Amino acid sequence: MKNLNDYPLWTAIVTPMNADSTVDYPTFEKILKQQEAANVAVVILGSTGEALNLNKDECKKILEFGLGLNLKVPVMTGIGGFNQKDTLEYVSYLNTLSGLDAYLVVTPLYAKPGEQGQTQWFKAILDLANKPCMLYNVPGRTGVKMNFNAIKNLKDHKNFWAIKEASGSVEDFKKYGESAPNARLYSGDDGMVPDFYPHRCVGLVSVASNAWPAPTRAYVEKTLAGKLSNTEADLWKKACDTLFIAANPVPVKNLMHAKGQIKTNVLRAPLHHLDLADNSPVLNADKNITTWFKEHN
């Protein structure tokens, strides 16, 4: 049995595409194996994996393919949507899969529910789930902040394992920790691990580690050991910021393509690689991170 708490870094895996925007399974296997080799846990079909741009049959095939590799590291998958019946049907399907270790459960999309709406939404999923759940705050994508009182209402649920906070707010990170004292707190912002570290942060769910698995692991472990200098923190923040100068995962896919980690930088509509017209910021960031890793590890 894999111990989820042994993994401070989880990579929200990109879904590599062929030129015709079908899924490139050989490359998908290769990047999952790279994460395993770096001893990094993986999230399949999160927002970085373009889950909402894929249909349910594609999602099932992707997930089942990834689980079929029998990775030695834990595997989490994303649960997101706005139709409760459809979402619970999907959770029931996920419950039947072997090799799946956890669920990443995002705040409901678009509808902007308040305390009671969020409490009931999350509770229905937590009640049905047969895996530990990480509740996920990303208001920039969902249109609503994860409600602090909803988290308080659910703090003792047996399947409530962790929180992923991706609003970029240190104050909110602290408040989520106060609302759920037993939940493990993960940064959902690559560059903010040093900011969150003093406030019970135990790890990162990362976009950057798609391109930089071993360096990102070193960065997180060094931060959590209290050994990352201010200069290093600044370097990482600037590098990670380049991965969000266009909608995620446009920049990281462009970078991975430039580095030869994936065959194309194709994304599923409505995303498009040409929304990042200038690759130089991510290429410069890659140079800086590669140099840092060689010098410090």
Side-chain angles (χ1 to χ4, degrees), residues 82 108-114 142 144:
F82 43 80
L109 312 175
Y110 189 74
K112 299 168 96 170
T142 63
V144 68

PDB file of all heavy atoms in Angstrom, residues 82 108-114 142 144:
ATOM      1  N   PHE A  82     -20.059  20.442 -12.885  1.00  0.00           N
ATOM      2  CA  PHE A  82     -21.130  21.295 -12.349  1.00  0.00           C
ATOM      3  C   PHE A  82     -22.457  20.560 -12.307  1.00  0.00           C
ATOM      4  O   PHE A  82     -23.444  21.098 -11.815  1.00  0.00           O
ATOM      5  CB  PHE A  82     -21.265  22.582 -13.179  1.00  0.00           C
ATOM      6  CG  PHE A  82     -21.194  22.352 -14.666  1.00  0.00           C
ATOM      7  CD1 PHE A  82     -22.283  21.895 -15.359  1.00  0.00           C
ATOM      8  CD2 PHE A  82     -20.009  22.587 -15.341  1.00  0.00           C
ATOM      9  CE1 PHE A  82     -22.211  21.669 -16.732  1.00  0.00           C
ATOM     10  CE2 PHE A  82     -19.925  22.372 -16.711  1.00  0.00           C
ATOM     11  CZ  PHE A  82     -21.032  21.903 -17.410  1.00  0.00           C
ATOM     12  N   PRO A 108     -17.098  23.225  -7.325  1.00  0.00           N
ATOM     13  CA  PRO A 108     -17.977  23.200  -8.505  1.00  0.00           C
ATOM     14  C   PRO A 108     -17.716  24.384  -9.437  1.00  0.00           C
ATOM     15  O   PRO A 108     -17.461  25.497  -8.987  1.00  0.00           O
ATOM     16  CB  PRO A 108     -19.386  23.267  -7.909  1.00  0.00           C
ATOM     17  CG  PRO A 108     -19.241  22.760  -6.520  1.00  0.00           C
ATOM     18  CD  PRO A 108     -17.859  23.135  -6.069  1.00  0.00           C
ATOM     19  N   LEU A 109     -17.802  24.115 -10.740  1.00  0.00           N
ATOM     20  CA  LEU A 109     -17.470  25.112 -11.745  1.00  0.00           C
ATOM     21  C   LEU A 109     -18.667  25.999 -12.095  1.00  0.00           C
ATOM     22  O   LEU A 109     -19.802  25.531 -12.112  1.00  0.00           O
ATOM     23  CB  LEU A 109     -17.002  24.411 -13.031  1.00  0.00           C
ATOM     24  CG  LEU A 109     -15.964  23.301 -12.869  1.00  0.00           C
ATOM     25  CD1 LEU A 109     -15.699  22.630 -14.209  1.00  0.00           C
ATOM     26  CD2 LEU A 109     -14.680  23.837 -12.275  1.00  0.00           C
ATOM     27  N   TYR A 110     -18.431  27.248 -12.334  1.00  0.00           N
ATOM     28  CA  TYR A 110     -19.356  28.184 -12.981  1.00  0.00           C
ATOM     29  C   TYR A 110     -20.531  28.627 -12.115  1.00  0.00           C
ATOM     30  O   TYR A 110     -20.897  29.797 -12.111  1.00  0.00           O
ATOM     31  CB  TYR A 110     -19.877  27.586 -14.305  1.00  0.00           C
ATOM     32  CG  TYR A 110     -20.671  28.563 -15.156  1.00  0.00           C
ATOM     33  CD1 TYR A 110     -20.024  29.573 -15.856  1.00  0.00           C
ATOM     34  CD2 TYR A 110     -22.055  28.482 -15.240  1.00  0.00           C
ATOM     35  CE1 TYR A 110     -20.739  30.477 -16.616  1.00  0.00           C
ATOM     36  CE2 TYR A 110     -22.779  29.389 -16.003  1.00  0.00           C
ATOM     37  CZ  TYR A 110     -22.113  30.382 -16.691  1.00  0.00           C
ATOM     38  OH  TYR A 110     -22.833  31.274 -17.442  1.00  0.00           O
ATOM     39  N   ALA A 111     -21.138  27.716 -11.363  1.00  0.00           N
ATOM     40  CA  ALA A 111     -22.371  28.052 -10.639  1.00  0.00           C
ATOM     41  C   ALA A 111     -22.144  28.980  -9.448  1.00  0.00           C
ATOM     42  O   ALA A 111     -23.067  29.627  -8.978  1.00  0.00           O
ATOM     43  CB  ALA A 111     -23.066  26.769 -10.167  1.00  0.00           C
ATOM     44  N   LYS A 112     -20.925  29.025  -8.918  1.00  0.00           N
ATOM     45  CA  LYS A 112     -20.553  29.878  -7.778  1.00  0.00           C
ATOM     46  C   LYS A 112     -21.393  29.613  -6.524  1.00  0.00           C
ATOM     47  O   LYS A 112     -21.971  30.532  -5.948  1.00  0.00           O
ATOM     48  CB  LYS A 112     -20.631  31.353  -8.183  1.00  0.00           C
ATOM     49  CG  LYS A 112     -19.684  31.700  -9.329  1.00  0.00           C
ATOM     50  CD  LYS A 112     -19.972  33.068  -9.904  1.00  0.00           C
ATOM     51  CE  LYS A 112     -19.073  34.095  -9.296  1.00  0.00           C
ATOM     52  NZ  LYS A 112     -19.165  35.399  -9.988  1.00  0.00           N
ATOM     53  N   PRO A 113     -21.478  28.347  -6.061  1.00  0.00           N
ATOM     54  CA  PRO A 113     -22.265  28.052  -4.864  1.00  0.00           C
ATOM     55  C   PRO A 113     -21.620  28.612  -3.602  1.00  0.00           C
ATOM     56  O   PRO A 113     -20.406  28.812  -3.543  1.00  0.00           O
ATOM     57  CB  PRO A 113     -22.271  26.517  -4.822  1.00  0.00           C
ATOM     58  CG  PRO A 113     -21.018  26.124  -5.530  1.00  0.00           C
ATOM     59  CD  PRO A 113     -20.824  27.153  -6.601  1.00  0.00           C
ATOM     60  N   GLY A 114     -22.470  28.843  -2.595  1.00  0.00           N
ATOM     61  CA  GLY A 114     -22.002  29.331  -1.305  1.00  0.00           C
ATOM     62  C   GLY A 114     -21.746  28.195  -0.329  1.00  0.00           C
ATOM     63  O   GLY A 114     -21.542  27.039  -0.730  1.00  0.00           O
ATOM     64  N   THR A 142     -12.627  28.262 -11.416  1.00  0.00           N
ATOM     65  CA  THR A 142     -13.998  27.853 -11.093  1.00  0.00           C
ATOM     66  C   THR A 142     -14.957  29.024 -10.971  1.00  0.00           C
ATOM     67  O   THR A 142     -16.165  28.855 -11.070  1.00  0.00           O
ATOM     68  CB  THR A 142     -14.030  27.075  -9.762  1.00  0.00           C
ATOM     69  OG1 THR A 142     -13.587  27.942  -8.700  1.00  0.00           O
ATOM     70  CG2 THR A 142     -13.146  25.844  -9.819  1.00  0.00           C
ATOM     71  N   VAL A 144     -15.308  30.749  -8.181  1.00  0.00           N
ATOM     72  CA  VAL A 144     -15.698  30.922  -6.780  1.00  0.00           C
ATOM     73  C   VAL A 144     -14.604  30.350  -5.884  1.00  0.00           C
ATOM     74  O   VAL A 144     -13.963  29.347  -6.211  1.00  0.00           O
ATOM     75  CB  VAL A 144     -17.058  30.241  -6.482  1.00  0.00           C
ATOM     76  CG1 VAL A 144     -16.967  28.724  -6.571  1.00  0.00           C
ATOM     77  CG2 VAL A 144     -17.617  30.661  -5.127  1.00  0.00           C
TER      78      VAL A 144
END
